[in-house]
Amino acid sequence: MTAPRVALLGAGRMGQVHGRNAAANPRLDLVSVVDPSAELAGALAAELGCAVGTADGALADPAIDAVLIATSTSTHLDLVLAALAAGKAVFCEKPLDLDLDRLRAHAAEL
């Protein structure tokens, strides 16, 4: 069985933690790092031995099986919903959102 191919969304503090863990896990294949900061994305991708990508590219790529979402909290829910709609497995850094009513409004999609 081949390892699931994973994209990391977010190269900040928690993205670095999750990215290093994913890269060290022999059961995963970390293939790309995505971040609005090209400098952060490039540095982490170089450290972890993977490519720099885009969120749209990761979600559209049928070869990517899962995403690790470690972006700013305000982007979590939208990225999770987009990833699920794209058929990806999702791991999201907490919290999923800061607005409980917004979460409830999307509960059926989660």
Side-chain angles (χ1 to χ4, degrees):
M1 177 183 233
T2 61
R5 295 173 51 85
V6 178
L8 170 66
L9 308 184
R13 184 174 53 88
M14 291 313 300
Q16 291 172 25
V17 170
H18 293 306
R20 289 177 183 129
N21 288 335
N25 187 331
R27 294 177 292 170
L28 298 176
D29 181 11
L30 184 64
V31 297
S32 67
V33 174
V34 173
D35 196 273
S37 167
E39 184 178 336
L40 276 177
L44 188 57
E47 174 189 334
L48 302 179
C50 62
V52 173
T54 66
D56 289 341
L59 297 179
D61 187 345
I64 293 180
D65 303 300
V67 293
L68 295 173
I69 298 173
T71 55
S72 59
T73 300
S74 63
T75 65
H76 287 180
L77 183 57
D78 290 335
L79 287 170
V80 167
L81 293 171
L84 292 173
K88 309 298 183 195
V90 176
F91 171 92
C92 183
E93 175 61 33
K94 65 181 183 183
L96 187 55
D97 200 84
L98 295 175
D99 183 339
L100 187 55
D101 289 332
R102 186 165 185 254
L103 282 169
R104 286 184 176 131
H106 292 282
E109 299 167 75
L110 302 170

